Amino acid sequence: MADIIKLLPDHVANQIAAGEVVQRPASVVKELLENAIDAGATLIKLIVKDGGKTLIQVVDNGKGMSETDARLSFERHATSKISCAEDLFNLDTKGFRGEALASIAAIAHVDMHTRTESSEVGTHIKIEGSKIVSQDVAATPKGTSISVKNLFFNIPARRNFLKSNQVELRHISDEFHRVALVHPSIEFHFYNNGSELFNLPKAGHRQRICHVFGSKMNNRLVPVNEETEVVKVSGFVCKPEFAKKSRGEQFFFANNRFIKSPYLHHAVSAAFEGLIKQDVYPGYFLYLEVDPSSIDINIHPTKTEVKFDDENTLYAILRSTIKHSLGQFNVAPILDFEHDPNLDTPYAYKEKEASIPKVTVDASFNPFQEVEAKPSGRPAYQKPNVKGWENLYEGLETPIDTESFSSLEIESDTLVQGNFYKDAEGEIHAAATFQLRRKYIVSTVKSGLLVINQNRAHERILFERFLGEITVKEGISQQLLFPMELSFSKQDRDVLQEIGESLTNVGFVFEELDKETVKVTGVPLVVAESAIGTVLDRLISDYKEGFEGNMISQAELLARTLSKNLAIKTGDVLDTESQLALLNDLFACKEPTLSPFQKITYTIVPEGDIEKKMN
Ligand code: ADP
Ligand code: MG
């Protein structure tokens, strides 16, 4: 048999390698920013167009490259950062593989200008798909500027896999944050499609965090500092009350490199135990310094996962350090002389004598009796103005013309027919309902026992209502007596802008104050005032994540999130009227059987089953 093994040509090998290094525009951004930092830049500009699909440019004022180095930098395994394997254990640069530029050049149109301090003229190189198109002498400032155009121009399959410009831009912003947060002494500018997204002056860590995430951060941060033989920890955790339902503002840096570590994340969460609820995550910006030889950053090609020699010790130190910092913060308010007007005695009461409260005892109180009162805080279930549900079922007792029957069949389940009865006067009533374990609404139908999951049912009802409102734009808004000012990070503000119209359609009323702050003057009827901040935060983060995974419409995504956050929960007590309204609304839905999250909303226990058990 003839020999069949061939060595792959360089450009093919480079394209294959590129797949590992460059997954999306954000990967290019990361590599270019890191190179600029390794080159000692003090000012870095990042310029992108169309989520980086059309252009990614990084301009730095670092040390630049000589003519030969400029050309060599695009070769695979060409690096100035290590020269032997031992160097790997003593890294103080971000890069070391010498793969990034070669990979990027294999799958894009690259244009590089560079000049060192000592040479008078610089070099201009153009490369397209690994082929050098031109190399000239050029007048250019000291430092390096690399533009990467038309990413994946020669791999259409990869290009088609890219998400929308907004999503790609979000990934780029994430990478930008990771780099900017750990290098506060470097000035950064970030432009997208010609407008400035970030202008970060040289600053300290705390200021940098505030410049990136908004000035509201400043009074949320609790400093963390500890130095041991194994590790030096510095940075900040966010106060427990600002823990969020979504992940996001959580950053670990090890030796100035952003890392992901579920194990260390757990250590931080453990330190917050008892201070925050189960389903929220604490925010943190933690900078770890360890001996470079005790850390292996080589195990993952994109280098965010690391391996520490002594993870258990790190865990313990981190946990106790943060606990300690939080403890100190907890006593701090006593020493804080900031004036809280809420604690003042109202004027009219100042001169009054204190009266002794009288105690009255309810002799008939039975602690074991089921509570029937409305829950406090959340408004009881409100039946929307569905005009006369009774009409829906009118005529069911009398012969029906086929046309209206067919539409009824689609709209509601047959069980509904048996769920209502006429009393002696001819009035239509629903069968009796009661609440079971504050979780289910139980009622009867012809065929047996109807059990509705109150939370899922309400999610379905709200989902259909919001979806309708977003599309027909007729959400009812309740005006806030005291408008609320909320501040957001730049990124979140952008998301809010994206979904703004839909939010307005369901009843939110916003006024823009400045880049960071938004004034909320109205909210949909179902949103309690105390929940506005959480609901918006949740909406923004769900929106960010939702568009990642599956391509459902913006309207559907928002309706889902709103319904999830605003629906009656398990544990909420409902009075009989609310129970009945819920039941009616559910069966007035287009798809009453499933919640918007594809969970079953109700079940029927057939009478036959009950009978069998009684035998
Ligand atoms: P690595 O960073 O792993 O060394 P790269 O492919 O990213 O590999 O870069 C190759 C080499 O090109 C670097 O080692 C460095 O010497 C040089 N280089 C890349 N970008 C810059 C820059 N912005 N300024 C100066 N030198 C650079
Ligand atoms: Mg590099």
Side-chain angles (χ1 to χ4, degrees):
M1 193 176 134
D3 299 336
I4 52 170
I5 297 181
K6 292 190 281 290
L7 272 178
L8 287 175
D10 261 2
H11 71 274
V12 178
N14 277 339
Q15 265 193 21
I16 295 170
E20 277 215 355
V21 181
V22 184
Q23 277 104 31
R24 55 181 357 137
S27 340
V28 174
V29 169
K30 172 177 189 276
E31 295 296 338
L32 296 184
L33 289 178
E34 290 190 347
N35 280 347
I37 291 164
D38 285 345
T42 55
L43 170 69
I44 300 176
K45 284 186 198 158
L46 167 64
I47 300 152
V48 304
K49 281 201 181 123
D50 305 327
K53 292 176 192 167
T54 318
L55 171 76
I56 300 162
Q57 184 178 12
V58 171
V59 186
D60 70 54
N61 65 353
K63 66 177 180 228
M65 283 175 263
S66 71
E67 195 187 335
T68 323
D69 280 354
R71 181 134 191 173
L72 257 181
S73 68
F74 289 103
E75 294 292 322
R76 201 135 61 93
H77 306 305
T79 178
S80 57
K81 296 166 193 172
I82 56 170
S83 50
C84 57
E86 281 78 62
D87 289 350
L88 269 179
F89 302 101
N90 220 347
L91 276 173
D92 62 353
T93 55
K94 311 244 164 219
F96 59 86
R97 300 166 158 260
E99 268 177 342
L101 288 187
S103 298
I104 295 167
I107 47 158
H109 297 159
V110 177
D111 214 309
M112 175 164 88
H113 289 84
T114 186
R115 182 169 73 83
T116 60
E117 176 107 73
S118 57
S119 51
E120 283 185 1
V121 286
T123 309
H124 173 205
I125 294 186
K126 259 183 132 157
I127 300 192
E128 295 181 354
S130 294
K131 281 199 243 356
I132 298 197
V133 178
S134 68
Q135 173 163 358
D136 332 280
V137 174
T140 177
K142 180 209 155 199
T144 306
S145 159
I146 300 184
S147 28
V148 176
K149 293 182 189 152
N150 310 322
L151 194 65
F152 296 131
F153 78 98
N154 50 0
I155 318 181
R158 296 293 296 273
R159 195 164 171 93
N160 293 339
F161 261 109
L162 293 178
K163 297 269 159 67
S164 71
N165 293 354
Q166 287 152 352
V167 171
E168 293 302 340
L169 180 65
R170 221 166 278 142
H171 283 284
I172 291 175
S173 297
D174 284 344
E175 288 298 349
F176 177 78
H177 289 165
R178 293 168 181 180
V179 172
L181 285 171
V182 80
H183 293 285
S185 61
I186 300 177
E187 180 178 342
F188 285 94
H189 298 257
F190 177 6
Y191 302 88
N192 175 51
N193 290 346
S195 65
E196 188 177 62
L197 292 186
F198 287 95
N199 174 348
L200 308 176
K202 183 173 164 22
H205 277 116
R206 188 178 191 123
Q207 278 174 302
R208 178 55 59 91
I209 294 170
C210 295
H211 287 149
V212 172
F213 290 105
S215 47
K216 60 161 193 225
M217 265 296 169
N218 196 29
N219 50 23
R220 297 188 179 181
L221 299 176
V222 179
V224 176
N225 274 302
E226 179 68 272
E227 199 165 348
T228 70
E229 272 180 21
V230 192
V231 61
K232 182 170 172 241
V233 185
S234 62
F236 305 89
V237 292
C238 290
K239 292 178 186 169
E241 64 261 41
F242 297 108
K244 287 198 175 170
K245 289 231 172 171
S246 56
R247 288 167 188 265
E249 282 154 20
Q250 291 143 340
F251 296 85
F252 274 122
F253 302 95
N255 296 356
N256 287 342
R257 189 189 288 280
F258 171 80
I259 58 159
K260 281 184 186 152
S261 170
Y263 184 66
L264 295 186
H265 170 80
H266 193 272
V268 181
S269 303
F272 274 85
E273 215 171 75
L275 295 172
I276 57 176
K277 286 196 212 130
Q278 283 265 301
D279 58 344
V280 296
Y281 305 96
Y284 53 83
F285 306 86
L286 293 167
Y287 304 85
L288 313 178
E289 273 173 54
V290 294
D291 180 353
S293 64
S294 75
I295 170 176
D296 180 5
I297 50 172
N298 206 359
I299 57 171
H300 195 272
T302 51
K303 295 172 289 188
T304 51
E305 268 135 54
V306 297
K307 213 168 127 29
F308 294 99
D309 276 357
D310 195 355
E311 259 188 344
N312 297 347
T313 315
L314 262 181
Y315 184 102
I317 294 174
L318 207 56
R319 194 183 130 191
S320 72
T321 303
I322 294 172
K323 259 199 155 150
H324 180 73
S325 300
L326 287 170
Q328 281 195 321
F329 150 73
N330 274 337
V331 298
I334 302 170
L335 304 171
D336 185 359
F337 292 104
E338 247 181 68
H339 185 78
D340 182 354
N342 290 331
L343 300 177
D344 280 355
T345 317
Y347 188 74
Y349 283 86
K350 262 189 183 160
E351 312 297 325
K352 278 197 179 170
E353 268 194 29
S355 60
I356 299 166
K358 294 189 194 75
V359 180
T360 50
V361 180
D362 176 5
S364 66
F365 175 70
N366 174 359
F368 301 105
Q369 205 171 344
E370 279 276 321
V371 198
E372 263 206 41
K374 282 182 191 173
S376 57
R378 193 189 304 279
Y381 182 78
Q382 285 168 339
K383 183 170 157 38
N385 290 334
V386 178
K387 282 163 261 118
W389 52 263
E390 299 90 341
N391 305 340
L392 275 175
Y393 313 103
E394 247 171 28
L396 282 180
E397 307 288 291
T398 48
I400 325 154
D401 64 86
T402 37
E403 211 178 304
S404 69
F405 184 71
S406 66
S407 77
L408 263 176
E409 240 185 355
I410 301 160
E411 296 234 337
S412 61
D413 211 83
T414 40
L415 75 95
V416 175
Q417 297 172 33
N419 199 28
F420 301 89
Y421 60 94
K422 273 186 187 162
D423 65 12
E425 276 83 38
E427 290 271 32
I428 298 174
H429 288 274
T433 59
F434 71 91
Q435 198 178 14
L436 181 67
R437 302 181 67 81
R438 299 187 187 177
K439 183 171 183 186
Y440 303 106
I441 308 296
V442 181
S443 185
T444 52
V445 286
K446 250 186 195 157
S447 54
L449 207 57
L450 169 69
V451 184
I452 297 175
N453 179 310
Q454 65 188 44
N455 166 253
R456 295 174 185 181
H458 199 208
E459 280 178 354
R460 161 55 60 185
I461 295 162
L462 289 180
F463 173 73
E464 293 199 4
R465 191 191 313 166
F466 285 126
L467 199 60
E469 286 174 357
I470 292 172
T471 4
V472 300
K473 314 183 179 182
E474 60 171 22
I476 304 163
S477 175
Q478 59 174 335
Q479 257 203 310
L480 293 177
L481 210 49
F482 302 103
M484 195 174 268
E485 282 182 21
L486 298 169
S487 46
F488 296 94
S489 70
K490 182 95 183 80
Q491 214 182 4
D492 288 358
R493 271 287 278 115
D494 290 348
V495 173
L496 204 61
Q497 205 136 40
E498 256 173 65
I499 56 180
E501 198 187 330
S502 302
L503 292 181
T504 314
N505 291 344
V506 298
F508 281 98
V509 186
F510 298 104
E511 265 172 46
E512 185 174 328
L513 286 187
D514 56 46
K515 276 188 177 168
E516 281 173 13
T517 334
V518 165
K519 186 149 111 185
V520 185
T521 55
V523 293
L525 279 178
V526 275
V527 180
E529 204 170 321
S530 56
I532 298 172
T534 333
V535 168
L536 285 176
D537 271 350
R538 196 62 213 238
L539 269 171
I540 290 169
S541 72
D542 279 11
Y543 184 75
K544 284 195 269 192
E545 279 160 25
F547 261 118
E548 281 305 278
N550 33 21
M551 290 313 265
I552 57 172
S553 73
Q554 190 195 69
E556 201 175 329
L557 192 77
L558 288 178
R560 274 218 312 216
T561 306
L562 279 167
S563 70
K564 187 182 171 81
N565 283 283
L566 300 172
I568 291 166
K569 305 276 180 301
T570 297
D572 286 349
V573 182
L574 298 182
D575 57 18
T576 353
E577 205 182 317
S578 303
Q579 294 169 21
L580 211 56
L582 185 83
L583 193 145
N584 283 320
D585 288 348
L586 177 65
F587 292 111
C589 281
K590 289 207 182 87
E591 288 177 48
T593 44
L594 291 178
S595 81
F597 303 92
Q598 307 306 314
K599 296 268 173 56
I600 289 171
T601 49
Y602 70 85
T603 179
I604 293 170
V605 186
E607 197 187 338
D609 284 9
I610 301 172
E611 234 139 56
K612 261 182 241 155
K613 287 198 197 287
M614 299 294 229
N615 272 330

